[in-house]
Amino acid sequence: MVKLRLKRCGRKQPVYRIVAIDVRSQREGKDLRKVGFYDPIKNQTYLNVPAILYFLEKGAQPTGTVQDILKKAEVFKELRPNQPKFN
């Protein structure tokens, strides 16, 4: 099973990559694909929306924090009507 979750980068200032990763991998493990970037200090977000939609359509589950980031960016509105929506 694949999840969309945060992968920490940076030592003193936390910066996160949003990655598609196998559930059995560690947080810092090898990812399948980098699909976004999140900086909580500057409140900046970059999302590769086509890649995110591809993984969501294939059944990837976002973690809670990633789901909140995707809701703010209104990514779930771009899912096809027959795809499951995340609350």
Side-chain angles (χ1 to χ4, degrees):
M1 179 179 199
V2 176
K3 279 201 174 233
L4 296 175
R5 63 180 174 192
L6 296 175
K7 185 175 184 179
R8 185 175 171 146
C9 303
R11 291 187 177 184
K12 294 182 181 179
Q13 299 175 351
V15 176
Y16 299 92
R17 287 184 181 146
I18 301 170
V19 296
I21 193 166
D22 187 30
V23 174
R24 296 168 288 186
S25 297
Q26 302 174 16
R27 180 185 73 179
E28 305 303 327
K30 182 151 175 68
D31 50 68
L32 300 173
R33 186 166 179 190
K34 296 171 185 74
V35 295
F37 171 84
Y38 174 60
D39 185 353
I41 295 173
K42 296 179 182 176
N43 201 16
Q44 292 179 336
T45 306
Y46 165 76
L47 299 173
N48 183 350
V49 178
I52 291 171
L53 291 176
Y54 169 78
F55 282 108
L56 289 175
E57 288 172 357
K58 295 294 180 186
Q61 298 293 316
T63 60
T65 307
V66 172
Q67 187 171 347
D68 293 341
I69 292 170
L70 296 179
K71 277 184 187 176
K72 279 185 184 178
E74 299 179 350
V75 171
F76 294 120
K77 290 182 180 179
E78 298 181 29
L79 278 176
R80 294 185 188 147
N82 60 354
Q83 293 297 320
K85 300 223 177 186
F86 299 96
N87 293 331

